[in-house]
Amino acid sequence: MAGAIFFILRILGTVLLAVLVLVLIILLIVLFVPVRYSFGGEVRDPEGSTEPLHLDPAKDVSLGGEVSWLMGLVRGKASYEGAFQIEIRVFGRRLDVQKLLKKKAKRQEKEPSGEKKAPETFEEKLERILTRIETIHARLEDTFYVMGTKCGVRAREKMVFCVHRLLGAILPSQWNLTGVLGLGDPARSAGVLSIQGFLYPITAGRVTIGTDYELYRYDLKGLASGSFRVISYIRFGLSLLLSKDVRKVLMRIKRGPLYIDHRRRAGSRKTE
């Protein structure tokens, strides 16, 4: 009897261990396997024109982007060439996004709508907009005040450091821009060359743009690609959340104007 119970417990332990190992493997894959992306665009204008707005976006402009994960087993594509197209594949199986969106739209149409509100008057809209602007202005003023304190300065330095590191981890590692750009005037077109010279330390080997000194011409093509890992977001997010100064700043901003006004008045009394 005891041997049978021990055998069952051993099987359960083995299964539990296998499940834990599988969960750990999946977690490591999600955190450390990079998500690769690429996007690009092209404006076709080989001849140019004397009119500045002579392009037809539906014919002369094309955009595209692709995101893949796990060696392409999960892949998503989006493109625009006169119309938007979206394609998602999971383990080789294509998901019909357009069909899903149509079903959702039909479902929303069938659902009974609530009581229709009377349309807002111009005065009500204006009052609502002004109230929102005042609220945003008050929140910004409070945020600037908190960020100007000693704790806020330290939190700001921490945020800038983390954002800089995060951008370095997710921005494209490879990119280029080529083509011909004309602004309809020799002086303005020459400005393109001066900007290229000014940015040469950053754009060397990546940007090659010729100029058309007589016509408006936007014959350009750009490509960019890179990758990022989910662990990068988690690492920098935890770094911010574990910072005592960042938590203090967020709590002070969350408490609202009354708390900040009280602290401001108390500070002014001390200086007096």
Side-chain angles (χ1 to χ4, degrees):
M1 184 67 180
I5 295 175
F6 179 75
F7 179 73
I8 294 173
L9 291 176
R10 187 173 63 180
I11 292 176
L12 292 176
T14 304
V15 172
L16 181 60
L17 180 62
V19 171
L20 290 176
V21 170
L22 181 61
V23 171
L24 180 61
I25 292 173
I26 294 174
L27 182 62
L28 292 176
I29 289 174
V30 171
L31 292 178
F32 292 98
V33 173
V35 178
R36 305 186 185 278
Y37 64 88
S38 62
F39 57 89
E42 183 179 5
V43 181
R44 294 176 290 274
D45 188 16
E47 298 180 357
S49 175
T50 56
E51 297 294 329
L53 302 176
H54 61 279
L55 296 178
D56 184 2
K59 297 179 180 179
D60 302 324
V61 178
S62 61
L63 303 171
E66 181 178 354
V67 178
S68 64
W69 180 65
L70 207 60
M71 295 180 293
L73 294 178
V74 180
R75 186 184 301 272
K77 293 182 180 180
S79 62
Y80 172 81
E81 291 185 6
F84 283 102
Q85 295 182 350
I86 300 175
E87 180 183 349
I88 298 176
R89 290 184 179 272
V90 180
F91 297 101
R93 185 176 179 180
R94 181 177 177 180
L95 302 180
D96 195 340
V97 180
Q98 302 294 338
K99 188 176 181 180
L100 294 175
L101 293 176
K102 288 180 181 179
K103 284 184 178 180
K104 184 177 180 180
K106 289 181 180 179
R107 195 182 303 115
Q108 290 178 350
E109 290 178 358
K110 292 180 180 180
E111 291 179 356
S113 57
E115 297 181 359
K116 294 184 178 180
K117 297 181 180 180
E120 288 184 321
T121 62
F122 176 76
E123 290 78 8
E124 291 175 343
K125 289 182 179 179
L126 182 61
E127 183 179 358
R128 178 167 55 83
I129 293 172
L130 292 177
T131 303
R132 184 172 299 177
I133 292 174
E134 290 177 357
T135 303
I136 294 173
H137 178 266
R139 300 299 297 182
L140 288 175
E141 186 179 14
D142 299 338
T143 302
F144 286 136
Y145 171 75
V146 173
M147 297 303 291
T149 60
K150 292 182 179 180
C151 179
V153 171
R154 293 193 299 268
R156 185 174 59 198
E157 292 175 353
K158 181 69 174 179
M159 291 178 183
V160 170
F161 173 77
C162 288
V163 170
H164 182 265
R165 294 290 300 274
L166 182 61
L167 290 177
I170 66 175
L171 284 178
S173 57
Q174 297 180 356
W175 60 276
N176 64 77
L177 179 64
T178 59
V180 178
L181 180 63
L183 301 178
D185 180 78
R188 286 180 294 187
S189 298
V192 176
L193 295 177
S194 64
I195 293 174
Q196 285 191 76
F198 180 74
L199 298 176
Y200 184 78
I202 302 173
T203 62
R206 300 179 184 272
V207 177
T208 307
I209 298 179
T211 55
D212 190 323
Y213 294 99
E214 297 180 357
L215 300 175
Y216 288 97
R217 187 176 173 186
Y218 317 103
D219 192 19
L220 301 170
K221 183 178 181 180
L223 296 171
S225 62
S227 63
F228 62 90
R229 292 176 171 84
V230 177
I231 190 66
S232 300
Y233 293 95
I234 297 176
R235 182 176 63 184
F236 294 115
L238 288 176
S239 178
L240 289 176
L241 292 177
L242 295 177
S243 173
K244 187 183 296 185
D245 295 323
V246 174
R247 292 201 306 271
K248 283 183 179 180
V249 166
L250 293 177
M251 289 301 297
R252 290 179 183 179
I253 294 175
K254 188 177 179 180
R255 290 181 183 180
L258 293 177
Y259 170 79
I260 293 174
D261 288 343
H262 172 72
R263 299 285 295 182
R264 191 178 301 172
R265 286 194 296 269
S268 63
R269 288 172 187 169
K270 289 182 181 180
T271 56
E272 291 176 358

